[in-house]
């Protein structure tokens, strides 16, 4: 199945089941689909905590649970199947992981194994020069752990682009220790325009939001040999609706708002139980405030509130509500039954979590839609593109990988068109 066909079929299914994934139960306590699918809503509310946790931990089981209640959803799993490519690099020395956190090293090793080795291509009949392997370019590199690792394997020079000067200095020192010829460019890729060498092979592991989008937009002006990209955090820097990059996605635009795009990354397989527990408590307290503000304002609508650190839990529920109310200029009465609203929040959170399970069944579909938009844009720019998974979900749920290589036939056509006409 071509990327375009997969994208078209996926778009059609997402449109068909938009009522399931569009409204958040945390914003709309009773989503409209509950009236159209009362049996499904009842089954959601009947889930025990253990059953809900098991479904949330296993996307395949969650999908099968939904299919049992809405059989037409059986068309979705085949569209979500993504192959795992055979590794190109294996057996990285453990010594190289010395300065890299364990999970990050595992992700780097898995990603590096999927970066293809580029061999020179002779085009003598066209009088083209051989294409050299070129420079490895680590986009938004941090200390360039990824780029440095692959540069050691491939014995290629490294160009690292990073906005934090301290990370650049630390990365340069690590590269020198490893004997890697590395150049660090300190630049904010959202503001600056660091040059992309035509011979570069670009690496981007979990470049968030506009960081990976800006990279692809730069390729339209400065083509490179190849790109290996694992995108992440698609919603960051997004203020309103997602703006597709590819012409095909623009023609079939789902009008994804920030809340819908954020759905793609609402998984916590790499978070500790303690962090997840605190996050759930914070969400419950927010819903307690939401119940309070709806009564005080006389409006049964959600009020957008500022993000808060988990440390506010130490101050207590009342303090959290007062903090949010002050931020929203919402006067609070002298006597508020704080335990009542805290209990309302806990109950609303329990109900919302169960209804949210239906929405979570579409997380991967939304993410794949976003990644296919990037893939189709790369094809539009003339690259040959492969979509795969570079590691198990348990290592990171953001495991979708795009490998793009400059289309040789397109380069040949460009070379021919650039030649002066013969007399």
């Amino acid at each position: 199945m071509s990327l375009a066909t997969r994208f078209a079929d996926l778009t059609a299914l997402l449109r068909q089941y938009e009522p399931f994934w569009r409204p958040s139960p945390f914003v709309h306590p009773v989503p409209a689909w509950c009236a159209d699918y009362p049996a499904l809503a009842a089954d959601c509310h009947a889930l025990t905590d253990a059953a809900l946790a098991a479904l949330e931990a296993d996307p395949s089981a969650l999908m099968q649970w939904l299919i049992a209640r809405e059989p037409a959803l059986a068309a979705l799993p085949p569209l979500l199947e993504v192959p795992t490519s055979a590794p190109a690099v294996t057996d990285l020395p453990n010594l190289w992981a010395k300065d890299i956190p364990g999970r990050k090293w595992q992700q780097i090793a898995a990603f590096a194994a999927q970066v293809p080795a580029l061999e020179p291509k002779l085009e003598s009949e066209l009088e083209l020069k051989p294409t050299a392997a070129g420079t490895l370019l680590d986009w938004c590199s941090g200390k360039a752990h990824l780029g440095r690792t692959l540069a050691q394997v491939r014995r290629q020079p490294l160009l690292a682009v990073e906005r934090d000067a301290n990370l650049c200095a630390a990365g340069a020192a690590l590269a020198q220790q490893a004997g890697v010829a590395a150049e660090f460019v300190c630049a904010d890729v959202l503001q600056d325009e660091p040059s992309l060498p035509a011979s570069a092979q670009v690496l981007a592991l979990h470049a968030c939001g506009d960081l990976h989008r800006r990279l692809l937009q730069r390729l339209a002006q400065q083509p490179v040999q190849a790109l290996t990209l694992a995108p992440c955090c698609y919603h960051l820097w997004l203020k309103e609706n997602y703006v597709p990059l590819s012409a095909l996605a623009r023609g079939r635009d789902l009008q994804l708002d920030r809340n819908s795009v954020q759905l793609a990354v609402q998984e916590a397989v790499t978070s500790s139980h303690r962090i997840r527990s605190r996050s759930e408590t914070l969400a419950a307290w927010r819903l307690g405030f939401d119940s309070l503000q709806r009564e005080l304002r006389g409006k049964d609508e959600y009020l957008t509130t500022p993000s808060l650190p988990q440390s506010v839990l130490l101050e207590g529920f009342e303090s959290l509500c007062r903090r949010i109310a002050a931020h929203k200029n919402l006067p609070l009465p002298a006597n508020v039954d704080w335990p009542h609203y805290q209990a309302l929040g806990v109950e609303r959170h329990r109900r919302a979590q169960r209804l949210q399970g239906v929405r979570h069944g579409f997380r991967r579909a939304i993410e794949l839609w976003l990644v296919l938009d990037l893939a189709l844009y790369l094809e539009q720019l003339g690259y040959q593109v492969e979509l795969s998974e570079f590691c198990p979900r348990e290592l990171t749920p953001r495991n979708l990988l795009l490998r793009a290589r400059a289309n040789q036939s397109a380069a040949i056509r460009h070379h021919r068109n650039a030649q002066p006409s013969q007399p």
Side-chain angles (χ1 to χ4, degrees):
M1 181 188 302
S2 70
L3 296 177
T5 299
R6 185 198 291 253
F7 182 81
D9 292 347
L10 182 60
T11 302
L13 269 175
L14 285 172
R15 286 195 185 282
Q16 181 180 351
Y17 288 100
E18 187 171 348
F20 280 171
W21 58 263
R22 177 77 71 180
S24 168
F26 290 90
V27 176
H28 307 281
V30 183
W33 66 259
C34 292
D36 298 325
Y37 298 85
L40 175 58
D43 284 351
C44 288
H45 289 306
L47 286 169
T48 64
D49 289 346
L52 179 62
L55 291 177
E56 285 289 342
D58 188 344
S60 296
L62 175 59
M63 180 55 64
Q64 292 306 312
W65 189 88
L66 290 172
I67 290 172
R69 290 151 180 82
E70 176 58 21
L73 279 173
L76 185 56
L79 296 176
L80 304 183
E81 292 178 1
V82 176
T84 300
S85 302
V89 176
T90 56
D91 299 327
L92 296 177
N94 290 329
L95 181 63
W96 293 1
K98 176 184 176 183
D99 298 293
I100 308 174
R103 185 177 294 275
K104 185 66 175 177
W105 168 248
Q106 291 177 289
Q107 293 174 4
I108 286 173
F111 183 96
Q114 298 297 332
V115 178
L118 301 185
E119 300 295 337
K121 291 183 176 295
L122 295 176
E123 300 291 348
S124 57
E125 72 277 14
L126 296 174
E127 298 181 355
L128 288 174
K129 295 181 179 179
T131 301
T135 299
L136 293 169
L137 194 159
D138 195 343
W139 185 258
C140 301
S141 64
K143 297 179 182 178
H145 293 316
L146 168 63
R148 184 179 69 254
T149 297
L150 206 54
Q152 288 175 274
V153 173
R154 300 282 171 79
R155 300 184 183 277
Q156 290 176 243
L158 170 66
L159 176 62
V161 179
E162 168 57 45
R163 71 173 181 175
D164 189 317
N166 292 327
L167 293 179
C168 287
L174 289 171
Q176 185 176 25
Q177 293 173 17
V180 171
E183 175 187 356
F184 278 75
V185 175
C186 188
D188 181 348
V189 299
L190 297 180
Q191 303 293 331
D192 307 320
E193 294 189 352
S195 178
L196 305 180
S199 64
Q201 183 174 15
V202 181
L203 316 172
L205 171 57
H206 292 163
C208 294
D210 268 9
L211 299 181
H212 66 249
R213 285 169 57 86
R214 181 60 59 91
L215 170 59
L216 267 60
Q217 290 169 326
R218 290 294 309 282
L219 296 184
Q221 285 76 42
Q222 291 186 300
V224 297
Q225 264 203 93
L227 163 70
T228 305
L229 164 67
C232 184
C233 300
Y234 312 90
H235 62 289
L236 291 187
W237 293 283
L238 188 63
K239 295 180 179 179
E240 297 179 353
N241 286 351
Y242 177 85
V243 179
L245 289 178
S246 67
L248 185 56
R250 290 197 299 270
R252 299 176 182 267
D253 192 359
L254 285 178
Q255 290 294 308
L256 297 177
D257 60 16
R258 191 178 194 277
N259 190 39
S260 298
V261 173
Q262 192 171 12
L263 174 63
V265 297
Q266 286 182 350
E267 289 179 273
V269 298
T270 59
S271 299
S272 68
H273 174 74
R274 181 182 181 186
I275 291 176
R276 290 198 299 270
S277 178
R278 287 182 174 181
S279 178
E280 290 176 3
T281 299
L282 184 56
W285 286 12
R286 281 180 170 278
L287 288 178
F289 172 80
D290 185 62
S291 297
L292 172 62
Q293 68 83 15
R294 289 178 193 241
E295 290 187 21
L296 294 180
R297 295 170 65 227
K299 296 181 179 180
D300 191 17
E301 64 181 22
Y302 185 79
L303 181 66
T304 303
T305 56
S307 60
L308 297 171
Q310 292 185 356
S311 59
V312 300
L313 296 176
L314 300 175
E315 303 172 13
F317 175 70
E318 178 181 346
S319 176
L320 175 140
C321 291
R322 291 190 179 280
R323 180 186 292 214
I324 298 177
H327 185 272
K328 304 302 291 189
N329 295 317
L330 177 65
L332 295 174
N335 297 315
V336 175
D337 188 349
W338 298 111
H340 168 72
Y341 288 102
Q342 184 174 354
L344 277 181
V346 171
E347 177 57 24
R348 275 191 59 188
H349 183 259
R350 182 185 180 281
R351 294 176 63 84
Q353 276 188 309
R354 281 151 177 77
L355 296 177
Q356 185 83 331
V358 174
R359 193 168 184 250
H360 282 174
F362 293 85
R363 286 181 297 202
R364 190 62 158 186
I366 295 292
E367 179 173 20
L368 189 57
W369 193 95
L370 295 166
V371 173
L372 284 171
D373 172 40
L374 305 179
L376 291 168
Y377 182 66
L378 285 167
E379 284 191 339
Q380 190 176 314
L381 295 180
Y383 289 88
Q384 296 174 328
V385 184
E386 298 177 9
L387 170 66
S388 64
E389 293 181 354
F390 75 93
C391 70
R393 172 180 172 273
E394 291 73 21
L395 183 55
T396 172
R398 307 284 73 76
N399 62 355
L400 291 176
L401 185 80
L402 291 178
R403 298 196 298 188
R405 187 164 181 177
N407 191 317
Q408 191 65 25
S409 60
I412 293 171
R413 288 196 301 270
H414 176 78
H415 172 80
R416 285 173 173 167
N417 292 337
Q419 300 304 307
S421 58
Q422 297 298 320

